[in-house]
Amino acid sequence: VAMEGKRRRGVNIPHDIVDEILGKVPVKSLVRFKVVSKEWRRSIESTCFIEKQIRYQKSLGGARILSVSGKKRRNSLGLEKLLITPCSGSIQTCPYRPIKPFRPTYDFNVSEPCDGLFCVYTKTKIFKFNLVNPATNSLRILPAPTSTLDEVYGQTRFSLLGIGRESFVSPKYKLLWFFHCDDRLVNESTRCKVFALDSNNWRYVDPPNCLIYFDQPIIHLDGVLYCFSFYREEMGYHQPCICNLLAFDLHTETIWSLESRDCHELSMCILNHRPCIFKKRLGDNDLLFKIWGLDINKSSWEVMYSIEFSCFPPEFYNRFIIPVATINNYVIISNYYHDIWVLYGSKTHIFPYKFTASKYHMCFFETLRPSLQNMGHKQEFMGSYDRIIIPMATINNYVIISNYYHRIWVLHGSKTHILRYPFTASKSYVFFFETL
């Protein structure tokens, strides 16, 4: 009888072994596994487990390309994942659940990702910032830097955002935001702000005293954000300028610059764990497509890849060539319309595949890194209207709190409970009890 009772209760697996198994489970499943038990939830949400899961995701074979849809959807953001495996020469696609609630606009831009997080933001004066993790289907609406609106003299036409992590050891993430202030200031027209996810506030940092190429991305590598900059002696778009690669250290929040080639024709990406630049549109006389990698120790550039243009299929007729990622000894390259993918290496594989209504593409890996870092239940209170907090009643030792739209109800006390329930066609709310 005792043996039968033990069999019914099952085998007690050591917690270390459970952690090791969970670390190799897909992120989508880990999100569901949080409800199995409190112990599993604590393990999956712990910083140590998330770091272990990030290292495992980086070690996986295959390259993951994330597509952000440019198609305007009702209150959601469409995402799609492309998995390319060079060993088997195969390609797989999988749509993500739409990110909600997301209010689409026609002028939004997408930052380069960092540890599975990226930011969707607007480029005009009406500043909106949304931090997204598609693997966990989470969205965090960041507060707008409202003080900036009074300082731009109505001329903020350009902005550029990047996200990065201070270092491999530090779990702190920051956003770097450049915005154009006033043409009359020439090289001093660019302002710079930093947003720390843990403190949830914007603050000014020393400006770079140069101009930023707002049509080129900000990339992240080892605690440093890189972007293209240029310096102009006189005001005017046709005046000669000096081009540089601007580097921003996320820990010290200092800026320095490196000599670069002519940035007008170049773009930037991360390949083989190195900042790389390339000429994304070849001229009619260019026979080779070259990718230069940065040697940080020597502060110099060296040719990493040199590919003959004749190797590319006819879909590259407009001579736009965009390297996206590297995997094993292959370089993954796409064209302007992203309807053809080339794996260039010892054997060249060509995959014809077009994303549905895609606008942005990026190399990406899934993580459990929460977009709501150290924010608890505050996600629903982060929008321009959602920052209104309304206490409704008390029950036992709890305070019942709601937001502007009354879609979220928080019971705050010794244990915080979050209840999501939107009333139908609601206008007013009162606390009451029934009587005769």
Side-chain angles (χ1 to χ4, degrees), residues 251-398:
H251 179 64
T252 61
E253 297 185 357
T254 55
I255 296 176
W256 73 94
S257 61
L258 302 169
E259 185 179 352
S260 178
R261 297 169 180 268
D262 187 3
C263 303
H264 289 287
E265 300 178 346
L266 297 179
S267 190
M268 191 164 32
C269 65
I270 298 292
L271 299 176
N272 289 342
H273 204 69
R274 295 175 67 179
C276 296
I277 58 176
F278 59 93
K279 190 176 180 181
K280 62 182 178 182
R281 190 180 192 282
L282 298 183
D284 295 334
N285 298 324
D286 292 330
L287 302 179
L288 295 174
F289 173 68
K290 294 183 179 181
I291 302 175
W292 291 272
L294 174 64
D295 188 336
I296 297 179
N297 296 325
K298 299 179 180 178
S299 299
S300 61
W301 299 91
E302 58 184 20
V303 177
M304 291 177 58
Y305 299 96
S306 181
I307 307 171
E308 293 185 6
F309 181 73
S310 58
C311 298
F312 294 99
E315 285 81 0
F316 290 85
Y317 65 92
N318 56 11
R319 305 182 75 86
F320 273 93
I321 303 175
I322 304 171
V324 181
T326 54
I327 176 173
N328 299 342
N329 294 319
Y330 291 90
V331 185
I332 300 176
I333 299 172
S334 186
N335 62 345
Y336 181 80
Y337 298 102
H338 295 283
D339 56 4
I340 193 79
W341 300 83
V342 176
L343 270 72
Y344 181 82
S346 56
K347 293 182 180 179
T348 302
H349 303 279
I350 300 174
F351 302 105
Y353 178 77
K354 185 174 178 62
F355 283 102
T356 306
S358 57
K359 186 176 182 180
Y360 297 95
H361 300 81
M362 61 190 79
C363 184
F364 171 84
F365 62 91
E366 297 179 340
T367 71
L368 278 166
R369 179 65 64 190
S371 60
L372 310 175
Q373 184 182 16
N374 296 335
M375 292 304 296
H377 59 271
K378 297 182 182 178
Q379 175 193 14
E380 288 79 5
F381 296 89
M382 286 300 141
S384 56
Y385 292 102
D386 293 347
R387 293 181 68 85
I388 298 177
I389 302 173
I390 306 171
M392 303 294 294
T394 57
I395 176 173
N396 298 340
N397 293 320
Y398 290 91

Side-chain angles (χ1 to χ4, degrees), residues 134-170:
T136 59
N137 197 249
S138 61
L139 170 73
R140 173 178 168 184
I141 302 173
L142 306 181
T146 52
S147 61
T148 305
L149 297 177
D150 301 328
E151 305 164 13
V152 297
Y153 309 109
Q155 297 191 39
T156 297
R157 300 186 300 273
F158 314 107
S159 66
L160 185 64
L161 187 78
I163 180 173
R165 178 175 176 169
E166 279 194 3
S167 66
F168 183 78
V169 179
S170 172

Side-chain angles (χ1 to χ4, degrees), residues 166-219:
E166 279 194 3
S167 66
F168 183 78
V169 179
S170 172
K172 292 184 179 180
Y173 291 82
K174 295 179 180 178
L175 275 66
L176 175 66
W177 182 48
F178 292 110
F179 60 94
H180 184 79
C181 185
D182 190 353
D183 285 333
R184 296 170 295 179
L185 301 176
V186 193
N187 296 306
E188 298 178 359
S189 63
T190 301
R191 294 289 183 269
C192 180
K193 278 191 170 185
V194 168
F195 181 86
L197 296 190
D198 53 354
S199 61
N200 196 51
N201 60 6
W202 293 92
R203 65 178 183 278
Y204 273 106
V205 294
D206 293 335
N209 294 323
C210 61
L211 298 171
I212 302 296
Y213 275 99
F214 290 99
D215 57 346
Q216 299 291 350
I218 297 179
I219 61 174

